[in-house]
Amino acid sequence: MTDQKTPIRILHLEDSSRDAGLIRDLLDAEGGTYEIIHAATRKHFEAALEQPGFHLILCDFNLPDFDGLSALKLAKARYPETPVIIVSGAIDAEEAGACLKSGATDYLLKQRLERLPSAVQRALVEAEEHRERTRAQQALRESEERFRQLAENVNEVFWLRDSVKCQMVYISPAYEAIWGRT
């Protein structure tokens, strides 16, 4: 997530200026710092997606020239790690399921927008946790690769033993070269 001084950048696809204002007011009432980029049409949305650094994308599901599922797919193609929340006045269970399967973090009905601030915070926290897990997994892969390179290039015998289970976990390749046994 961002610190308190850095605004949370939100791309908001919404054809109704009244609904866009309502959503902005709901988020502002929670005391967060938001920079909301509003797009009312497919053309504006596609142009906005060219900008860097969105923390969250909100998509209306029903627009005159566009639909939320198509917007979701475009957003995920450009920003695969950025959470997308679908907001709709009318979305059926099948459409909502299709959105979730396509990568939406959540969906909200416009009749229940009081959930929006908590859904936004949850989406941002989950995105940060996902980034942290990805960084940790990458660091682990890099560490394992350094260990593998070290183990394969040292001509000395060394091993790792699990002291709890009293069994060998790893024996260096030099063991087989020196003693002729695996």
Side-chain angles (χ1 to χ4, degrees):
M1 210 159 61
T2 61
D3 61 47
Q4 293 293 357
K5 295 175 185 159
T6 304
I8 296 168
R9 291 195 76 226
I10 298 175
L11 173 55
H12 184 197
L13 173 62
E14 174 59 67
D15 63 321
S16 165
S17 58
R18 186 182 74 73
D19 288 348
L22 178 62
I23 285 174
R24 176 182 292 278
D25 291 345
L26 273 169
L27 292 173
D28 287 344
E30 289 298 310
T33 307
Y34 299 97
E35 176 187 349
I36 300 175
I37 310 303
H38 179 241
T41 65
R42 178 185 187 131
K43 181 180 173 184
H44 292 132
F45 184 71
E46 288 173 342
L49 283 174
E50 297 303 316
Q51 297 179 30
F54 289 108
H55 298 106
L56 178 77
I57 299 172
L58 296 173
C59 291
D60 188 5
F61 190 77
N62 296 306
L63 298 122
D65 68 336
F66 205 27
D67 67 274
L69 191 55
S70 297
L72 170 65
K73 289 176 182 176
L74 282 175
K76 285 305 201 177
R78 177 75 166 107
Y79 294 106
E81 301 299 319
T82 300
V84 178
I85 298 175
I86 301 295
V87 181
S88 179
I91 187 170
D92 64 35
E94 187 176 312
E95 291 168 324
C99 289
L100 293 174
K101 285 180 185 175
S102 294
T105 304
D106 202 350
Y107 69 91
L108 299 172
L109 295 174
K110 288 183 179 179
Q111 297 87 344
R112 305 236 9 228
L113 280 179
E114 67 275 2
R115 284 190 47 230
L116 181 67
S118 63
V120 166
Q121 287 305 314
R122 184 182 59 77
L124 293 171
V125 167
E126 286 177 2
E128 181 60 28
E129 288 170 350
H130 182 264
R131 283 189 292 276
E132 286 295 321
R133 279 191 308 278
T134 301
R135 282 191 287 268
Q137 289 168 346
Q138 180 62 31
L140 178 60
R141 280 191 296 276
E142 290 169 2
S143 176
E144 288 171 342
E145 178 60 20
R146 284 191 304 271
F147 176 79
R148 185 191 62 75
Q149 289 177 2
L150 174 71
E152 290 176 357
N153 293 297
V154 170
N155 293 325
E156 303 295 325
V157 175
F158 67 95
W159 62 92
L160 298 175
R161 182 172 176 251
D162 184 330
S163 60
V164 175
K165 295 180 181 177
C166 294
Q167 67 186 51
M168 291 295 192
V169 176
Y170 178 84
I171 301 175
S172 66
Y175 177 87
E176 187 173 348
I178 293 172
W179 280 292
R181 297 187 318 195
T182 59

